[in-house]
Structures are given as C-alpha cells and as structure tokens.
Amino acid sequence: MTYDDQNADLWRRPDAGAEPGQTTPPGRVPPAGYAGPPPTDPPPAGWRPPTYVQPPPPRQLAPQDFDKVEAQEKEARTLTYGVALVAAAVMVVLSCLLCSRVLF
C-alpha cells in the first residue's frame, strides 16, 4: 500500500491543534455558515388561466332505507356462515379420508 497518492491528504489525521470534528481538508476554506435558500421571484400577476365555467353545486344523496340495509346485511351474514359450514364439513370429510388411508 502506498501513501503518496494525490488524495492522501484527505485521509490523513488532523493536526494536534485542530478542533475536534473538523473535517475540512487542507487547502480548502470551510463554509462560513448556511446562507439560506436562494431567493425566488414571485410569479407574474396573471399566471393562472382564466376560469369561465363554474361547477354546479353538489347534488343531494338518495335517502337510505336503514331497515332494508339491515335485512341485506343479515342475508349476507347467513350466506357467509352457510358457505363456511359447508367448507368446514368438506375439510372434515377429507381429513377423515386421509387419516383412514394412513391408518389402514
């Protein structure tokens, strides 16, 4: 390993009198501080396109029949439980068949 590389100064230890945490390589001037973001110019006065059409006001929603909604939810729950019971029964029958094949 050679240390006569042109970038070796960047990796050398700081001097004994240097401040702790100083990472500025020799020969470079450290920045004075954060000057803030660059200044921006405000947009011109007419930068938005003109608006000609006003949207219509929102419509009223249809009234809800809460009794009908509850009845439909009850029917859906019954159907879901029925499908789950049929699937469980099929799984029990299949597992019994597989276990009987292994045992006998």
Side-chain angles (χ1 to χ4, degrees), residues 12 20 22 30 41 44-45 50 58-59 61 72 93 98 101:
R12 71 177 174 86
Q22 181 182 3
D41 297 328
R59 297 175 295 173
L61 292 175
Q72 289 175 347
V93 169
L98 289 174
R101 285 287 277 184

Side-chain angles (χ1 to χ4, degrees), residues 5 59 67 73 90 92:
D5 186 20
R59 297 175 295 173
D67 294 332
E73 287 179 355
V90 169
V92 167

Side-chain angles (χ1 to χ4, degrees), residues 13-31:
R13 289 180 163 250
D15 296 333
E19 295 179 22
Q22 181 182 3
T23 58
T24 306
R28 293 188 183 167
V29 178

Side-chain angles (χ1 to χ4, degrees), residues 33-93:
Y34 180 64
T40 58
D41 297 328
W47 69 275
R48 288 194 173 139
T51 304
Y52 296 109
V53 178
Q54 293 293 330
R59 297 175 295 173
Q60 289 287 345
L61 292 175
Q64 295 184 2
D65 185 7
F66 292 111
D67 294 332
K68 185 177 179 182
V69 170
E70 291 292 329
Q72 289 175 347
E73 287 179 355
K74 185 177 179 183
E75 290 174 10
R77 184 175 52 241
T78 304
L79 177 68
T80 302
Y81 286 161
V83 170
L85 285 175
V86 169
V90 169
M91 293 296 289
V92 167
V93 169

